[in-house]
Every structure is written in C-alpha cells, then in structure tokens.
Amino acid sequence: MSKIICWIYGILNPKYVALGGPDFRKECIGAIRDNLYASLPHNMLAEILHSPDIRHDYYEGMAFLTAGRIFDDVQFLKE
C-alpha cells in the first residue's frame, strides 16, 4: 500500500489521500504513514485520511470539480 501511495505522490503530488472501503481498517493508517515518512521527504507528504465510503467521496469530489469547471466562467449580472 505504501509503494502505491509513493507512486501517487510522485505523479500527482496530492494534498490529501483518502483510504477506505469496506475491508480497510482505520488502524492501518498509522503503519502506512510511518512507512511513507521513512520513504519520502517530509515536504512531499500529503495528509492521509480515512473514508468509510470512498465511492461517495469520489463522486462528490468529481461533482465539485465538474461544477467548478462549468461555472468558473459564468458571471451573474444585475440589470
């Protein structure tokens, strides 16, 4: 798990990494974080979060990013 997250850091440089799902135990985050601290420079590390429903978070995030792109150029004018 730590190697996969290291690759994600190297490619995307995310601010947060959410781990979760029905079979993921929240207690594992500490061990994963310790392995990452040993492998990567501290300024490169993102915050690791636990999410019980990772699919919901994925869809919420995609909806937020899509709405941001769509409405970024929209300006409301008062006439």
Side-chain angles (χ1 to χ4, degrees):
M1 181 69 79
S2 296
K3 274 190 174 183
I4 292 170
I5 296 172
C6 281
W7 293 337
I8 291 170
Y9 283 167
I11 296 169
L12 300 175
N13 194 18
K15 191 172 186 175
Y16 302 101
V17 173
L19 302 174
D23 297 327
F24 185 80
R25 294 183 316 211
K26 190 175 183 177
E27 307 86 54
C28 295
I29 289 179
I32 293 169
R33 187 179 295 126
D34 292 343
N35 284 335
L36 292 172
Y37 272 42
S39 303
L40 294 170
H42 292 278
N43 64 341
M44 194 175 179
L45 294 175
E47 186 175 349
I48 299 176
L49 307 170
H50 176 259
S51 173
D53 189 358
I54 203 82
R55 285 184 187 237
H56 173 73
D57 292 339
Y58 172 77
Y59 292 129
E60 281 282 315
M62 290 305 294
F64 176 78
L65 292 173
T66 302
R69 291 285 182 161
I70 291 172
F71 298 116
D72 228 10
D73 296 329
V74 174
Q75 295 180 359
F76 294 101
L77 302 174
K78 186 175 181 179
E79 291 187 52

